[in-house]
Amino acid sequence: MKIITCIKQVPANSTIKIDQVTGHLVREATPAILNPLDKHSIELALEIKESREDVEVIAITMGPDQARLALLEALSMGADKAILLSDIKFAGSDTLATSYTLSIAIKKLMNDDDNYLITCGAQASDGETGHVGPQVAEELGIPSITGASRASLDGDVLLVTRGKQAGKLEQIKTRLPALVTVTKGVNKPRLPTLHGITHAFDEGALLSVWNAATIDADEEKIGMAGSKTKVSKMYTPEPKKENITLTGSPKEIASKLASMLKEKNYI
Amino acid sequence: MQPNAKLEDYSGVWVVVERSESEIDPVVLELLGKAWDLAKKRNTSVTAVILGKHADQESKKLGIHGADNILGVHCPDVQDYEQEFYTRVLTELVHERKPEIILIGATPQGRDYAPRLSKRLNTGLTADCTGLDIEETTGNLLQECPTYGGNIMAIIQTVSSRPQMATVARGVFKPKIRTKASKVKVEKITYCFDATRERASTVDIIEQDGETRDVRDAEILVAGGRGMESSENFGLLEELAREIGGKVAGTRSACDLGWIEKNCQVGQTGHVVKPRLYIACGISGAIQHTIGMQDSEHIIAINKDPEARIFSIADTCIVADVLEFIPAFINAIKRFRNS
Ligand SMILES: Cc1cc2nc3c(=O)[nH]c(=O)nc-3n(C[C@H](O)[C@H](O)[C@H](O)COP(=O)(O)OP(=O)(O)OC[C@H]3O[C@@H](n4cnc5c(N)ncnc54)[C@H](O)[C@@H]3O)c2cc1C
Ligand SMILES: Cc1cc2nc3c(=O)[nH]c(=O)nc-3n(C[C@H](O)[C@H](O)[C@H](O)COP(=O)(O)OP(=O)(O)OC[C@H]3O[C@@H](n4cnc5c(N)ncnc54)[C@H](O)[C@@H]3O)c2cc1C
């Protein structure tokens, strides 16, 4: 069977700049890393691989050429193969377009074989929508289980534990093919090993680059054209309004504060 | 959006109802208040969609909070939430009735089906909005969402398709009460759901221990940090919280020291809260903490260090020793109450 793990490259920190003209984020200026939760999703794939004979782990990402680095990280953790979906036509994708692109690539990869599991992060640290996993599953017509805090595969049954409402956990299961999105609690990601790094260096053999034509993408459904949501404006929020400092002895401040709270109807 | 439909074919604002335990989840009432505003601007009505059985007093409650219509879909084969059931029923209802806007709680349940629903409807979905408004010139929904840990705000629009879908977390909007509620129209339909697709099914629900106090629901939070100095001093915060009708929360340091339970932690790795009043006692204001509380309506910070970062996001600053100040404050409140 195949385990396909969808990974995303994200900016490392929050010093993101906004291009004032286009309103788009300027990403090149900030270092890029593998989305932290995606390490957990790779780890889940690798743990399952180690527990049985027949598993091949394939990491896949849609992004610019530099997203290759995220795939190398997955390979050096132990993934068997990697696919980079890269094409200028994919630029500006919202989650509908992203999930369309990923899922037709997965269809091509699976070639009508139904024996697969997809692992994703519950959300990416930049866009943070958490849409991509469930939407890939929807496009492929398979069930999705979101927000796993524990996950295991027994035969072709995927068993997941996840938070439901405050104080409750839910155990939920489904049969493959299926998609699961993971949270931090699901496992502790391994570090790349020396062997893994050597393996990743065999990039030419392990990493394929596919473009819109390779996956036979419908141009109406990818990139900007395929996106239904548009970011119409981006701005840095105003710094917090002016504040006041209460002075005096603790007792004086205490009664000033109490009367202020009363006045504002907080107490 | 259906291939041959036009944008103008769509009208009305829908809120999908969710229950926690057997009660209507608070986020639903918050969304209804906002839906009511939006519907007024678009000159249309608000429909609360309930999947599963509902009682008459629920209709009344939804009406008071902003719903004009209630659409109840009953399905004999489905008891509880199920991803495929929600996705399929809502898809069919949307195709048939064509609402312009759909609002869904960004709860674990909403996050589970909303993305699939948007995909099946082939329309945009905006996640975790903190503001919703109508653009006057176009009538489009303006969806505000913070990104990059709140460092940047984005306005997102779904321009070329309908419905416009958005999810919103609990506590973002305030519920509203209609004083003159006109009669709510209730429509009930039965839906036969045959599960032809492979479904994900719940095996078991497990109760966790010690999750009795939920800081996310509190209107007033009294939060303590390492500056409280000991577990005993946290008792002062309990007393203050009792006096003003709030709950006690803490920083990660306070939780790690065992002064308060882990599930009361506020911040990046704890809860994100947005109470009306947040009183930060002996908290330095590390970014990992403030991410979780900076959107509170009013923040009071008490710290003995005038340079503490917490003061930069506070509305009311008090430079004092908390251990001296809190008892004085409790007394002051008691005096006010009696006067
Ligand atoms: C400020 C801002 C707000 C946005 N808001 C919205 C919005 O409300 N609605 C919307 O439709 N789009 C939105 N977008 C666009 C969205 O961020 C992109 O479509 C992005 O490619 C995927 O979404 P995400 O980062 O939210 O991923 P998430 O859905 O949060 O990612 C979850 C998981 O999906 C997988 N995944 C995500 N992206 C990729 C990828 N490129 N390759 C492989 N696997 C991937 C990974 O496993 C990841 O852990 C927004 C973008 C910005 C900058
Ligand atoms: C990945 C990561 C995730 C994290 N997640 C979280 C999180 O979710 N939530 C969280 O809270 N933290 C989190 N942290 C930890 C965070 O960085 C801070 O260490 C923590 O918030 C500090 O807690 P504190 O304010 O209680 O303690 P301190 O930083 O030690 O501050 C104590 C403050 O009390 C003041 N003080 C001391 N004595 C008195 C007195 N008698 N009267 C008045 N003031 C006094 C001091 O001036 C000081 O400002 C995280 C850190 C990391 C790296």
Side-chain angles (χ1 to χ4, degrees), chain A residues 70-82:
Chain A
L71 293 171
L72 290 181
E73 192 166 343
L75 287 171
S76 61
M77 283 173 74
D80 299 297
K81 277 204 310 211

Side-chain angles (χ1 to χ4, degrees), chain A residues 17-31:
Chain A
K17 297 207 173 60
I18 299 172
D19 181 327
Q20 298 299 342
V21 181
T22 61
H24 289 153
L25 295 180
V26 184
R27 286 173 199 249
E28 282 74 18
T30 61

